[in-house]
Amino acid sequence: MSKRVLTTESGAPVADNQNSASAGAGGPLLLQDQHLLEKLARFNRERIPERVVHARGSGAYGHFEVTDDVTGYTHADFLSEIGKRTEVFLRFSTVADSLGGADAVRDPRGFAVKFYTAEGNYDLVGNNTPVFFIKDPIKFPDFIHSQKRDPFTGRQEPDNVWDFWAHAPEATHQVTWLMGDRGIPASYRHMNGYGSHTYQWTNAAGEAFFVKYHFKTNQGIRSLSSEQAAELAGKDPNSHQTDLLQAIERGVHPSWTLYVQLMPAAEAADYRFNPFDLTKVWPHKDYPLQRVGRLVLDRNPDNVFAEVEQAAFSPNNFVPGIGPSPDKMLQGRLFAYADAHRYRLGVNHTLLAVNAPKATTAQNYGRDGFMAVNGQGRGAKNYEPNSYDGPVETGRPLSAPLAVSGYTGNHSAPLHTKDDDFYQAGELYRLMSQEERARLVANIAGGLSQVSRDDVIEKNLAHFHAADPEYGKRVEEAVRALRED
């Protein structure tokens, strides 16, 4: 059987892939060596800008199957009947570190799911925590700057990390999550995923419900201590990637059960917590979990760069029956995520295989731009409406309209009866066992004790005291002991 012929990118056969063309046996290389120049030029361009956040990621394909009837709450087609399956792609990630960081670190984990539905792709972009550090997107660039490598020292600085948190009391709840036992998952398979934001479901009758998503791991929660994580990160920086890849390859397919919390839209205004505040949860006793279906991962990507690094998720990719809420952080991300992909991957990133719809065909008037390959020419019109049988609008909104009132301006979020920055952090602390509390305090003190300014330490201690007196006292004593050593 004859071997396939190696060619250049233009299809010309390559005579020699071992030796560059030169001026004589020992002379300098020739500019006319097209194969050499093409290889080096392509090599220089193989990488694209890494994500500012969620740079280090892993992913896999699978399916989502509906197990329970939720048609009373949403008319989304992929949730329309028990037993219905939809192909998915799930990308896991760490948040703060660069593409070259280690997997086993204390950091939130991204949990982004792309549902390839018959009504278009639905992207659900969340984390492995149900809350976040801030509630308004205008603070997001400052927050991330404080957590990334310092521009002078080139490393993450405790002064920066804790100084931002000192000025962001709403972060106390998420800091308690992050510094607790679930702050370092043992693997991507052994952690929950959350939509984190509040979204909207709309049923066929036009009734609106606000919804929170909970993906509960069927492998069980497993986490690492700080000491275990430091050892594992040194031995295998790719530990989570390795675990996910090998589990799927040997036929051990990880799965999660999806539950939702549902709030009738009319109840939002008078709920004791602001239901659109990303730093808050809805207690399950108020809105119990309702099962929806099962998500299974059963196929690894063939090319990590093409399918994981270039996977583009945007929370504004909704389908009929699902829409946004007034959650301020979600509103900011409706723009920011899609814009990040247009910058990193180009305006035609939705044509890449991992991002393109699979159960339907995208039909729109987008044209041209870098790497345009949509092939819509030969007289096809690029405007709407037209008289040439081009795609037309449906006139049917994807979700129910959101009521608005008042004056434009820079407003803080409206306060509900139980709204403050510390109550839920204290509730989380009080749910912990004594052993869990001890580890939480040690993790916080280990970082806070490295801060150089006393006033920054005091501001942070005040947050823990406000959450729970015992919590604050134990952190304060632990910090003092470490600083006296």
Side-chain angles (χ1 to χ4, degrees):
M1 181 178 177
S2 61
K3 293 184 177 180
R4 290 183 297 156
V5 173
L6 175 68
T7 74
T8 64
E9 291 183 32
S10 62
V14 173
D16 191 335
N17 193 43
Q18 316 305 316
N19 304 287
S20 302
S22 61
L29 303 187
L30 298 178
L31 188 63
Q32 71 184 40
D33 189 341
Q34 188 262 353
H35 182 49
L36 169 66
L37 300 188
E38 183 177 86
K39 285 185 72 174
L40 294 180
R42 167 166 281 278
F43 181 75
N44 286 345
R45 293 162 176 80
E46 281 183 355
R47 298 280 72 81
I48 58 178
E50 71 173 43
R51 290 167 169 88
V52 178
V53 289
H54 297 276
R56 183 175 181 82
S58 302
Y61 293 94
H63 66 267
F64 176 79
E65 182 174 352
V66 179
T67 57
D68 294 77
D69 183 11
V70 292
T71 55
Y73 306 105
T74 177
H75 64 89
D77 177 74
F78 79 103
L79 299 175
S80 61
E81 59 183 291
I82 293 174
K84 190 159 194 171
R85 282 193 175 191
T86 300
E87 185 178 354
V88 301
F89 181 78
L90 199 161
R91 185 178 188 271
F92 305 97
S93 55
T94 54
V95 175
D97 211 344
S98 63
L99 189 58
D103 287 340
V105 293
R106 188 171 297 279
D107 196 15
R109 300 299 192 277
F111 192 99
V113 188
K114 187 181 294 291
F115 297 85
Y116 298 101
T117 90
E119 297 178 302
N121 290 351
Y122 172 45
D123 289 352
L124 182 57
V125 180
N127 286 328
N128 71 326
T129 61
V131 293
F132 195 61
F133 298 94
I134 53 176
K135 64 181 76 173
D136 193 301
I138 204 166
K139 299 176 71 170
F140 187 74
D142 300 295
F143 165 61
I144 295 301
H145 288 165
S146 75
Q147 308 297 302
K148 299 288 276 188
R149 296 174 186 269
D150 182 88
F152 174 66
T153 66
R155 63 181 191 135
Q156 189 182 61
E157 289 292 343
D159 275 358
N160 301 351
V161 171
W162 289 95
D163 186 39
F164 182 89
W165 289 341
H167 293 90
E170 70 268 29
T172 308
H173 192 186
Q174 173 72 321
V175 170
T176 304
W177 268 91
L178 179 63
M179 298 299 174
D181 279 1
R182 296 192 184 187
I184 314 178
S187 78
Y188 289 132
R189 297 183 298 127
H190 294 92
M191 68 181 196
N192 292 341
Y194 301 88
S196 300
H197 295 289
T198 300
Y199 296 90
Q200 185 205 86
W201 277 6
T202 308
N203 66 17
E207 297 173 301
F209 301 83
F210 293 117
V211 60
K212 282 188 175 289
Y213 296 87
H214 302 248
F215 291 87
K216 300 287 189 178
T217 176
N218 294 319
Q219 290 70 240
I221 294 288
R222 284 182 51 204
S223 303
L224 302 172
S225 68
S226 296
E227 295 76 17
Q228 290 172 323
E231 181 179 357
L232 180 59
K235 288 181 176 178
D236 181 10
N238 306 299
S239 57
H240 288 28
Q241 161 69 15
T242 301
D243 175 85
L244 181 66
L245 175 76
Q246 293 182 350
I248 294 174
E249 286 298 292
R250 66 176 184 267
V252 179
H253 298 153
S255 67
W256 289 259
T257 300
L258 173 61
Y259 298 86
V260 294
Q261 290 178 284
L262 292 161
M263 174 188 293
E267 297 180 12
D270 296 323
Y271 186 47
R272 58 194 176 122
F273 305 109
N274 180 349
F276 312 118
D277 182 346
L278 186 55
T279 69
K280 304 287 195 303
V281 297
W282 303 353
H284 293 179
K285 64 181 179 181
D286 295 345
Y287 295 97
L289 296 179
Q290 301 186 46
R291 193 175 65 176
V292 179
R294 181 181 176 91
L295 186 153
V296 179
L297 299 181
D298 55 16
R299 179 166 69 88
N300 284 310
D302 293 326
N303 184 300
V304 171
F305 176 79
E307 298 166 86
V308 180
E309 184 64 14
Q310 294 193 122
F313 298 83
S314 178
N316 64 5
N317 287 341
F318 293 114
V319 293
I322 303 178
S325 80
D327 179 335
K328 284 188 173 185
M329 283 296 294
L330 172 61
Q331 292 283 321
R333 285 171 169 164
L334 297 181
F335 162 76
Y337 274 61
D339 188 59
H341 304 316
R342 294 185 190 105
Y343 159 68
R344 294 182 63 246
L345 305 171
V347 72
N348 288 305
H349 68 273
T350 56
L351 302 178
L352 296 170
V354 69
N355 300 322
K358 296 184 183 298
T360 186
T361 301
Q363 302 183 85
N364 54 61
Y365 294 94
R367 291 291 186 278
D368 306 332
F370 187 65
M371 293 296 290
V373 293
N374 56 14
Q376 296 185 36
R378 299 285 301 179
K381 306 306 177 185
N382 65 338
Y383 56 88
E384 195 280 334
N386 64 57
S387 303
Y388 297 86
D389 297 322
V392 298
E393 63 193 22
T394 67
R396 298 189 299 273
L398 300 186
S399 57
L402 298 172
V404 296
S405 63
Y407 298 93
T408 60
N410 299 89
H411 301 289
S412 58
L415 291 177
H416 291 230
T417 56
K418 278 287 188 181
D419 272 343
D420 66 51
D421 293 326
F422 310 111
Y423 176 80
Q424 290 198 352
E427 289 285 270
L428 179 58
Y429 176 81
R430 290 183 285 274
L431 282 173
M432 296 179 181
S433 67
Q434 287 299 325
E435 292 77 12
E436 289 173 319
R437 293 182 189 183
R439 290 189 290 269
L440 168 67
V441 168
N443 290 334
I444 293 173
L448 189 54
S449 63
Q450 298 178 54
V451 173
S452 62
R453 289 182 51 154
D454 290 342
D455 60 326
V456 173
I457 294 175
E458 291 302 321
K459 284 188 177 78
N460 279 285
L461 290 176
H463 298 168
F464 301 122
H465 279 289
D468 183 275
E470 179 196 292
Y471 188 9
K473 180 182 178 182
R474 292 180 66 172
V475 173
E476 183 173 1
E477 291 175 348
V479 169
R480 184 186 305 117
L482 287 172
R483 286 172 68 83
E484 289 175 353
D485 283 350

